[in-house]
Amino acid sequence: MILSPHFTLAEMVRSSHRAIDNTPPLEVVERLRALCREFLEPVRQRFGPLWVTSGYRCPALNTAIGGSR
């Protein structure tokens, strides 16, 4: 799913922990879309390409990797 001209949902939810379903609920998808359009696209326009390594982590994934709350 395309969230903005240069960012996709797949890259926002990418994880090396394949056993954990990191699919966000619809309201989170809409927030990610807003993040991409309102923040990441302008940053990319000003500074050039950027790569997102963690746009969303479901609670189970965040716990598994020891992420902060």
Side-chain angles (χ1 to χ4, degrees):
M1 171 186 296
I2 296 172
L3 299 176
S4 71
H6 297 98
F7 298 96
T8 66
L9 182 60
E11 74 182 299
M12 293 290 146
V13 301
R14 185 177 303 134
S15 171
S16 61
H17 289 73
R18 306 265 183 228
I20 299 173
D21 181 8
N22 195 37
T23 304
L26 186 56
E27 70 241 16
V28 172
V29 173
E30 291 308 314
R31 289 179 186 163
L32 288 169
R33 186 184 316 275
L35 171 72
C36 291
R37 289 182 177 170
E38 297 170 21
F39 182 76
L40 296 178
E41 286 293 340
V43 168
R44 187 183 193 282
Q45 185 176 16
R46 177 154 183 184
F47 297 106
L50 59 122
W51 293 266
V52 175
T53 59
S54 181
Y56 170 77
R57 294 181 192 148
C58 68
L61 177 58
N62 197 51
T63 298
I65 67 163
S68 63
R69 291 176 48 180

